[in-house]
Amino acid sequence: MRVLLWLGGIAGADICLSLLDRSFRHNAPKDNQLLSWAWARAIASGARALAWSSGPILMYQHGDIVSLIVPLWGIINLTAASAYTAAPFLPSLIATGLAGILPAACWLLAQGTDVTRLGAALLLLALPFVGFLGVLGRRNITALIEGRLELAGLLERQQLQTRLVEDAMTERTRFFTSVSHDLKQPLQALSLYAPLLLSAKDDGSRRDIATRVIECVTTLERQFSAILKVADIDASLRQARPAPISLQALFVRLADQFRPDAEAKGLRLKTVPTSLWCWAPSDLLERVLLNLLSNAVKYTRQGTILLGARKIGRAVRICVVDTGIGISQEEQLKIFDEFYQVGNSGRARELGYGLGLSIVRRLCTGMQWPVACKSAVGRGSLFSVEVPRAERAPRTPTGLDASTDLQSTMTQKVVIFEDDALVEDALTRLLTSWGISVVSCRNEMELLEVLQSSPPDALPHVLLDHRLGNGATGLDLADQVGKSFGNRVRLTLMTAETDKAVMDGAARRNIVVLRKPIKPIRLRAILRAHTAGANIKRCDPS
């Protein structure tokens, strides 16, 4: 009967503890309620331990050693097992250990016999063992929880990266779908004009068709240039080198560039004088403001365009304000997408390609510059960019004497190393029209022979394509030229690549990089700088 009473007490305590656990899972308490639930479970665990501890009290009979060993064995095993699971909450561990052992040990000591004192000693000696199991369980469960949290964090980061990749792929698909459509238009026109040009019977018709062909080529060149600028953004961000920038000097330079276009439309372009400096890569910030000002001039029919800056804490907020057509709230959510233009749903090419603000968004996101737009239809727009503020930089020499005459006569001889026959022919015709002697080379031996046969004091300028046949590159060929002629030969690398390794390799070799599609005005400037001996930018940003 006593055994059943003891087992019933243990079963009742276990049922209460199970109901408490089920209620916890069902209610899913908030974080601020967890401590109360933990204390409730500690009390329930202590009550269950008391039920275990009542075993010797109910079952022991004087002189019967078995009636003592059985409940003692049960107490020690049950307490040790529960201590491992109760370990995460220290009060629950203490309640389980003390309530399960001390009552029975005290009662046995009070009996005063050698057997009961031995039983009490066994229980008390088990108490450190129970504590050790509790500490071990606490450590293992903590490690398990931390592992699961870490796994959850990894899964969350993986899901985030997956979403980013999916968003990037969606954006890229949308981008190239729009690009494909826009490129097909001038290509379609060219395919129609080409046979007409060949079959034209009089000079007037040929000139008219040739003019149309030039317009198509110009459109293609502009589209490719705009697309390359988007593709070049990641490389530009990796190569970004922030430095102190005088906003006043930047504003004056930008205003001088856009004032003729603004005045041609009857607009006033004003800058607010400022003494503020910012900390940013000069080329990237100028690129952002160029796009904002270009849009302001394009979409303002009358009134004023204002460029200014103000201090905002440790940052500088640069603002471009116009009195243009304005942007609706709905369109403000779309204007930073590729190929989206306000008021140009028909995609008229003369209004641009809708990439300016997407470039602004990408650059500002990459540099962590907050960009914002406030606008009202019919009243104008305000675009702002926040960049870190900097102290005034000390004056340093510019490295290029202002008296250097970049309009001096260009170099008289150029060697072209280009594996594309059409590009080679076009470059040869262009350079020849400028009065330059041109030599084309197809392999390394021809190039070295041309250089060796040239007067030492009049070595030609070499235009190197980067992607050559058989896996060779322009940088490899530049190394061969360097071994034979040192730095006496001026080299220019022609490439459409945006790979940082190519740019760094050219910079290490002191080679100017000319981006494809090649702009004649940029090529002319490089050749003039060669003759003038001027230092020019090693990487063409266009």
Side-chain angles (χ1 to χ4, degrees):
M1 184 66 183
R2 291 183 178 183
V3 173
L4 293 176
L5 183 63
W6 181 49
L7 294 177
I10 294 176
D14 282 340
I15 291 172
C16 291
L17 194 58
S18 298
L19 292 175
L20 180 64
D21 290 341
R22 181 177 296 180
S23 178
F24 175 82
R25 289 190 295 270
H26 177 73
N27 291 315
K30 299 179 180 180
D31 290 348
N32 59 358
Q33 299 174 325
L34 292 178
L35 186 60
S36 299
W37 281 90
W39 277 107
R41 198 179 196 289
I43 294 172
S45 298
R48 182 177 64 174
L50 279 174
W52 299 337
S53 191
S54 64
I57 301 172
L58 294 174
M59 296 179 59
Y60 178 63
Q61 296 179 1
H62 291 285
D64 186 359
I65 191 69
V66 175
S67 64
L68 179 63
I69 291 177
V70 170
L72 289 182
W73 178 84
I75 290 174
I76 293 173
N77 279 276
L78 292 173
T79 305
S82 297
Y84 191 92
T85 58
F89 188 54
L90 187 60
S92 181
L93 173 62
I94 295 174
T96 298
L98 297 183
I101 290 178
L102 287 183
C106 292
W107 183 84
L108 290 173
L109 285 174
Q111 300 308 304
T113 66
D114 293 338
V115 173
T116 57
R117 281 196 290 267
L118 179 60
L122 289 175
L123 286 177
L124 293 175
L125 288 173
L127 193 58
F129 174 69
V130 171
F132 169 76
L133 290 178
V135 172
L136 182 62
R138 183 182 181 87
R139 184 184 304 164
N140 291 342
I141 292 175
T142 300
L144 178 62
I145 293 173
E146 290 176 350
R148 289 187 176 182
L149 291 175
E150 183 178 357
L151 179 60
L154 290 173
L155 291 174
E156 184 177 358
R157 285 196 294 272
Q158 183 183 25
Q159 291 172 354
L160 176 61
Q161 291 174 350
T162 301
R163 286 197 300 270
L164 290 175
V165 170
E166 290 174 350
D167 292 343
M169 293 301 295
T170 301
E171 182 177 351
R172 179 170 295 184
T173 300
R174 184 177 67 249
F175 176 79
F176 282 107
T177 300
S178 300
V179 166
S180 175
H181 173 270
D182 283 359
L183 289 179
K184 285 178 180 177
Q185 305 307 316
L187 286 173
Q188 173 67 64
L190 278 175
S191 67
L192 297 175
Y193 282 134
L196 290 175
L197 184 61
L198 293 174
S199 62
K201 297 180 179 180
D202 58 84
D203 292 342
S205 297
R206 277 193 290 270
R207 281 195 297 270
D208 183 55
I209 295 173
T211 300
R212 301 296 182 184
V213 169
I214 291 173
E215 290 177 358
C216 292
V217 172
T218 301
T219 299
L220 278 173
E221 194 261 335
R222 288 176 179 171
Q223 288 180 333
F224 274 117
S225 179
I227 293 166
L228 288 175
K229 286 179 180 178
V230 175
D232 186 43
I233 288 176
D234 291 339
S236 299
L237 291 171
R238 288 194 300 269
Q239 299 170 25
R241 297 293 182 269
I245 301 174
S246 167
L247 290 179
Q248 179 63 25
L250 177 60
F251 288 176
V252 169
R253 187 164 67 251
L254 291 171
D256 289 343
Q257 183 172 343
F258 282 96
R259 188 167 282 115
D261 290 338
E263 291 177 350
K265 295 182 65 175
L267 306 175
R268 294 182 300 276
L269 177 57
K270 297 182 179 180
T271 61
V272 179
T274 179
S275 60
L276 293 172
W277 287 60
C278 70
W279 180 259
S282 177
D283 55 339
L284 299 190
L285 179 59
E286 186 167 344
R287 194 168 168 185
V288 167
L289 297 180
L290 279 171
N291 281 294
L292 294 180
L293 283 169
S294 176
N295 277 0
V297 173
K298 184 186 300 180
Y299 292 105
T300 302
R301 300 191 180 113
Q302 61 181 2
T304 303
I305 297 171
L306 184 66
L307 175 62
R310 59 183 298 188
K311 183 168 61 175
I312 304 292
R314 301 179 65 178
V316 177
R317 179 177 294 166
I318 304 173
C319 299
V320 176
V321 188
D322 65 62
T323 57
I325 61 176
I327 307 169
S328 67
Q329 289 290 333
E330 180 181 355
E331 288 186 306
Q332 288 180 34
L333 302 175
K334 306 175 183 177
I335 55 175
F336 290 99
D337 294 340
E338 283 86 359
F339 299 102
Y340 186 85
Q341 290 177 288
V342 176
N344 188 21
S345 57
R347 306 297 302 278
R349 289 193 293 272
E350 61 271 15
L351 296 179
Y353 306 105
L355 291 173
L357 288 180
S358 71
I359 291 174
V360 169
R361 172 180 61 83
R362 287 169 176 259
L363 289 173
C364 290
T365 300
M367 295 302 301
Q368 297 183 344
W369 296 339
V371 59
C373 170
K374 296 181 180 179
S375 185
V377 176
R379 298 182 60 184
S381 304
L382 182 153
F383 284 87
S384 64
V385 178
E386 291 186 19
V387 295
R389 188 160 50 89
E391 300 299 326
R392 181 187 296 270
R395 294 181 63 86
T396 56
T398 61
L400 176 60
D401 192 341
S403 64
T404 300
D405 181 12
L406 293 182
Q407 301 301 321
S408 58
T409 305
M410 288 185 291
T411 183
Q412 295 301 304
K413 186 174 182 179
V414 170
V415 177
I416 299 175
F417 200 107
E418 167 66 59
D419 67 343
D420 188 291
L422 290 176
V423 176
E424 178 193 332
D425 179 69
L427 279 173
T428 300
R429 292 174 183 271
L430 177 65
L431 295 171
T432 302
S433 71
W434 292 346
I436 297 175
S437 174
V438 180
V439 178
S440 295
C441 297
R442 286 294 182 180
N443 55 60
E444 178 185 332
M445 294 302 298
E446 288 184 13
L447 175 61
L448 295 178
E449 287 176 2
V450 170
L451 294 177
Q452 288 168 355
S453 64
S454 301
D457 57 345
L459 289 172
H461 192 123
V462 180
L463 300 178
L464 284 175
D465 184 29
H466 179 61
R467 290 284 184 181
L468 305 176
N470 300 322
T473 68
L475 294 179
D476 297 332
L477 192 55
D479 290 336
Q480 295 300 319
V481 173
K483 290 178 181 179
S484 301
F485 298 92
N487 58 0
R488 293 183 294 121
V489 177
R490 184 68 66 94
L491 301 171
T492 295
L493 188 70
M494 304 179 296
T495 181
E497 301 250 356
T498 59
D499 189 357
K500 183 177 183 295
V502 176
M503 302 299 114
D504 291 345
R508 286 195 303 270
R509 296 167 175 83
N510 200 34
I511 299 175
V512 176
V513 177
L514 184 61
R515 291 283 178 80
K516 292 182 178 180
I518 296 169
K519 295 181 179 179
I521 189 173
R522 175 64 179 168
L523 177 58
R524 185 190 291 267
I526 289 174
L527 297 178
R528 281 176 174 158
H530 178 187
T531 302
N535 292 322
I536 60 177
K537 286 185 179 181
R538 294 295 157 197
C539 180
D540 175 16
S542 62

